[in-house]
Amino acid sequence: AVVSTQSTGGSGMRYDPLPLGIRFCKLVSANTPPSRIVYKSWILILTFFVYMSYHMNKKSLSVVKTTLLGNSTESPGWPPFNTSTHPDGKQLLGYLDTAFLGSYAVAIFFCGQIADHVSLRYFLSTGMIATCITMILMGMANFWNIHSLAYFISMQTRIENVIDL
């Protein structure tokens, strides 16, 4: 990548003004410069997969609800949500849904204001990375043997769930 001679904020550090996706597209196309249709196709494919990932993040709790509840000998559930030892397990899952949707409704306004004033490229990239981290943390509850409702609510009310608009 060609490094620009412009410096950032007087710090003397140089940067490449091209987005990573464009640099990758140029790298893949080897010696021939990519055409406009290649750029547009690349952007369409990336956008599709990024928003597909965001949508899967919103649906993650819906997918695992039956496993958390249990209701069978094969799947005993996950305390505090399993209905065999905690009769109010469905209600606790309702709390998680309410926490997610409530935080989404409140924070979408503020994140919209922030997104209007910053680079969308960085805003969405930060949101995607933060969403991945919290999804990993939510999944690690199994390995770390976490059974705290507060932990799951904190994972559902994270601010980056709003960024996946």
Side-chain angles (χ1 to χ4, degrees):
V2 177
V3 178
S4 173
T5 57
Q6 298 174 348
S7 63
T8 58
S11 66
M13 294 177 51
R14 297 189 307 166
Y15 70 97
D16 188 349
L18 291 176
L20 291 175
I22 300 295
R23 282 190 261 164
F24 178 75
C25 192
K26 284 184 175 184
L27 180 71
V28 171
S29 65
N31 296 332
T32 60
S35 67
R36 190 167 176 85
I37 192 75
V38 170
Y39 285 132
K40 287 183 175 184
S41 300
W42 178 246
I43 290 169
L44 176 68
I45 291 168
L46 274 178
T47 304
F48 175 78
F49 281 107
V50 166
Y51 278 99
M52 181 181 67
S53 299
Y54 280 155
H55 184 70
M56 288 188 317
N57 172 50
K58 289 181 183 180
K59 298 295 180 186
S60 61
L61 184 63
S62 300
V63 171
V64 298
K65 275 184 181 178
T66 55
T67 305
L68 292 174
L69 285 174
N71 295 337
S72 71
T73 57
E74 298 167 2
S75 175
W78 188 258
F81 307 109
N82 58 342
T83 53
S84 59
T85 58
H86 298 86
D88 57 347
K90 285 186 179 182
Q91 185 176 4
L92 296 179
L93 286 175
Y95 292 156
L96 288 182
D97 282 336
T98 303
F100 175 76
L101 294 173
S103 67
Y104 188 88
V106 170
I108 197 168
F109 172 75
F110 297 107
C111 283
Q113 295 297 318
I114 293 169
D116 285 343
H117 299 290
V118 299
S119 170
L120 286 179
R121 178 173 50 172
Y122 298 127
F123 184 74
L124 291 174
S125 298
T126 303
M128 187 64 179
I129 291 168
T131 298
C132 290
I133 290 169
T134 54
M135 283 289 94
I136 290 170
L137 289 174
M138 192 160 179
M140 292 304 289
N142 183 26
F143 297 105
W144 293 335
N145 204 20
I146 297 175
H147 297 279
S148 169
L149 180 64
Y151 177 81
F152 289 103
I153 286 179
S154 68
M155 291 296 109
Q156 287 297 100
T157 58
R158 65 205 184 275
I159 195 64
E160 67 273 1
N161 72 14
V162 178
I163 297 175
D164 56 350
L165 302 171

